Amino acid sequence: TFGRCLKPALDNPKSGGIGLVAGDEHCYTLFEDFFDAVVEVCHEGYKPGMLHPTDVSPEEVCNTLIDATGRYVLSARVESSRNIRGFPFAPAISREQRRRVERLCADALSQLQGPDRGTFY
């Protein structure tokens, strides 16, 4: 519902962020006019239909050490906050659906080899 999209902003008005939440991918079409207007204001003219520039080519990744001395940085991690199609977003997802998403991600990541391989906790 539209109320569920607004609830986080109303519950925590001093969060420093916008606080709007789409419960699933359908919220973006159901409440399209509202979300589009908010995105355009908050992202300085980013209009509906525009594509976010993405460059995931390995050549663009910097290999400069974060802490060449090794005294301050013990580890680093990469976090992704996108959703998997067909699953609700965090505010609306059930515990069982979270477990299915976790299993999908763990299975996919376990297939990585070489320097991309890591440990899933």
Side-chain angles (χ1 to χ4, degrees), residues 34-89:
F34 180 74
F35 277 107
D36 285 350
V38 171
V39 168
E40 186 173 347
V41 169
C42 293
H43 293 280
E44 301 175 5
Y46 196 84
K47 302 221 182 278
M50 291 177 72
L51 296 176
H52 188 281
T54 302
D55 185 353
V56 293
S57 60
E59 295 79 24
E60 297 301 318
V61 177
C62 174
N63 65 358
T64 302
L65 295 176
I66 296 171
D67 173 23
T69 68
R71 294 187 334 213
Y72 303 103
V73 178
L74 300 178
S75 68
R77 70 178 181 185
V78 175
E79 184 175 323
S80 176
S81 60
R82 298 291 180 208
N83 203 39
I84 297 172
R85 177 165 283 170
F87 287 94
F89 297 145

Side-chain angles (χ1 to χ4, degrees), residues 24-38:
D24 60 27
E25 61 188 295
H26 302 294
C27 286
Y28 288 111
T29 53
L30 188 61
F31 308 117
E32 180 177 17
D33 293 340
F34 180 74
F35 277 107
D36 285 350
V38 171

Side-chain angles (χ1 to χ4, degrees), residues 77-121:
R77 70 178 181 185
V78 175
E79 184 175 323
S80 176
S81 60
R82 298 291 180 208
N83 203 39
I84 297 172
R85 177 165 283 170
F87 287 94
F89 297 145
I93 196 168
S94 71
R95 184 179 190 88
E96 175 59 31
Q97 290 168 322
R98 285 180 193 271
R99 296 290 182 235
R100 288 178 28 217
V101 167
E102 180 180 35
R103 185 79 267 142
L104 281 170
C105 291
D107 289 347
L109 292 171
S110 71
Q111 297 178 38
L112 295 174
Q113 299 297 319
D116 295 327
R117 188 162 183 84
T119 303
F120 176 75
Y121 296 99

